[in-house]
Amino acid sequence: MNSIQFTKEALFDIEDIIYWYEDQRKGFSYDFELCLEVGIFEIQRIPLGYQKRYKNVMIKFINRFPYGIHYIIQENVISTIGVFHTSRSPKNWKNRKNL
């Protein structure tokens, strides 16, 4: 299994999403977290198995939720640079580090 790391921005994305879902319905954020964990595990298992979206950025869409895990691979390390809603434009986040 490949090692995975998260940028601060990616962790902030996840935190914001969790708070938003918890505000919608108590316990709903837990469902999101489980689906996110599955997505991360699948990336670790098959890091090159998902579509390349922008330059060297790959994306794995999360089941049941309209979000994608955006990541890059550098020297056998998977760096998660963000977790974005599918309606967000890449123009809004392409200044993230490692891009």
Side-chain angles (χ1 to χ4, degrees):
M1 194 172 298
N2 295 298
S3 66
I4 192 162
Q5 62 186 21
F6 294 83
T7 62
K8 283 189 271 184
E9 295 91 350
L11 294 174
F12 289 142
D13 291 341
I14 293 167
E15 183 179 48
D16 287 346
I17 296 165
I18 288 170
Y19 284 136
W20 190 85
Y21 277 119
E22 194 59 29
D23 282 346
Q24 302 310 301
R25 188 179 78 215
K26 187 167 178 62
F28 197 32
S29 63
Y30 182 70
D31 292 343
F32 172 78
E33 289 179 71
L34 290 176
C35 291
L36 179 65
E37 284 180 20
V38 169
I40 291 166
F41 177 75
E42 290 172 348
I43 290 170
Q44 286 180 295
R45 260 189 12 182
I46 313 169
L48 297 174
Y50 302 98
Q51 61 179 252
K52 192 178 266 191
R53 260 298 170 84
Y54 319 97
K55 297 182 184 177
N56 58 343
V57 179
M58 301 187 75
I59 184 170
K60 162 69 172 111
F61 292 104
I62 298 171
N63 293 333
R64 294 185 50 222
F65 292 89
Y67 288 89
I69 304 167
H70 293 70
Y71 64 98
I72 58 176
I73 302 169
Q74 296 174 321
E75 299 175 17
N76 294 326
V77 175
I78 301 164
S79 295
T80 303
I81 59 168
V83 179
F84 303 111
H85 195 279
T86 55
S87 68
R88 273 181 80 182
S89 168
K91 293 176 186 175
N92 295 334
W93 55 266
K94 67 180 171 182
N95 291 331
R96 297 251 170 141
K97 53 177 171 172
N98 299 325
L99 289 181

